[in-house]
Amino acid sequence: MGLLQWEKRYSVGIEAVDHEHRELVDLINRLHEKATMQGSKVAVLGFFGDLYKAVSAHFALEERFMREKRYDQLPQHKGDHERLLDEIRDIMEDYEANDVFDDKLLAQRIDAWFSRHFESHDARLHRALGNH
């Protein structure tokens, strides 16, 4: 079992977007599995770095789409993206400072991270603008 499992509550109701988000969940699980199989601090920090890059790229594409469509909630949505990226950095820094990789805590934090953003900002965006 992976770190995260796709749940219906993550869905924004647009298949193409949900597919992209499922791919992000799969990436998180692959990176996490690789990091924990290697069991080294360097591997786990690599997991966080790769996760950060993937999420940043996803957010950049989403923000470009919002700018192109002149989405009126772009500043709020972008602000939440920045908060989410800060949270990933915080989790990584906690691990780096403490040498503790608590899978259950990480899963809870990432699940909360996904569900809050998907249920609020992403759902509103894709209801307002439709499929891209």
Side-chain angles (χ1 to χ4, degrees), residues 57-92:
H58 171 72
F59 287 170
L61 285 172
E62 199 171 73
E63 290 166 13
R64 187 184 85 209
F65 170 72
M66 288 186 277
R67 279 190 301 278
E68 289 171 358
K69 298 293 185 178
R70 302 185 195 284
Y71 182 54
D72 65 346
Q73 296 292 307
L74 173 61
Q76 297 89 334
H77 200 122
K78 184 174 172 52
D80 201 53
H81 284 169
E82 290 167 4
R83 181 188 59 78
L84 294 170
L85 291 170
D86 285 346
E87 285 183 14
I88 292 174
R89 278 193 302 269
D90 290 346
I91 295 168
M92 181 171 66

Side-chain angles (χ1 to χ4, degrees), residues 3 91 94 101-111:
L3 183 66
I91 295 168
D94 288 349
F101 188 61
D102 183 336
D103 274 356
K104 288 182 180 174
L105 178 61
L106 180 64
Q108 288 171 350
R109 289 177 82 174
I110 290 180
D111 175 68

Side-chain angles (χ1 to χ4, degrees), residues 20-80:
E20 187 172 304
H21 288 164
R22 278 192 294 271
E23 287 180 341
L24 197 52
V25 168
D26 289 343
L27 174 66
I28 288 168
N29 288 330
R30 284 193 312 274
L31 293 171
H32 174 260
E33 182 179 348
K34 180 180 174 188
T36 54
M37 280 184 7
Q38 291 179 4
S40 72
K41 185 171 187 171
V42 170
V44 174
L45 290 173
F47 155 74
F48 285 117
D50 290 345
L51 173 60
Y52 188 89
K53 283 189 283 191
V55 171
S56 293
H58 171 72
F59 287 170
L61 285 172
E62 199 171 73
E63 290 166 13
R64 187 184 85 209
F65 170 72
M66 288 186 277
R67 279 190 301 278
E68 289 171 358
K69 298 293 185 178
R70 302 185 195 284
Y71 182 54
D72 65 346
Q73 296 292 307
L74 173 61
Q76 297 89 334
H77 200 122
K78 184 174 172 52
D80 201 53

